[in-house]
Amino acid sequence: MAMTLRLTDEENARLDELAAAEGRSKQEILRLALADRWARLHREEQLGEVLGRVLPRYRGLLDRIGTV
């Protein structure tokens, strides 16, 4: 799917710098950034689910540790 992305001159310069430093195309840099942000979002969601299951189980212990 084709897409037009409008960047400021500063953003474009930063993208040029990243692409040159990594030896990648500007398109590849943006695709990798998207993949990274998507993965971070899903890791945070997974962490929230795990904490939602684990914290209630150890609430008493955590409360005791917190008062020491």
Side-chain angles (χ1 to χ4, degrees), residues 22 25 27 34-36 38 42 59 64 66 68:
E22 295 187 13
S25 69
Q27 178 179 340
L34 172 62
D36 180 62
W38 184 88
H42 286 278
R59 175 59 51 206
R64 287 194 306 269
V68 173

Side-chain angles (χ1 to χ4, degrees), residues 23-54:
R24 300 176 190 270
S25 69
K26 290 169 36 170
Q27 178 179 340
E28 188 174 4
I29 294 292
L30 292 172
R31 292 172 72 188
L32 289 170
L34 172 62
D36 180 62
R37 289 295 302 264
W38 184 88
R40 186 179 314 154
L41 172 69
H42 286 278
R43 280 193 304 269
E44 290 172 2
E45 288 175 354
Q46 289 172 341
L47 178 60
E49 291 172 9
V50 169
L51 290 175
R53 289 192 314 266
V54 172

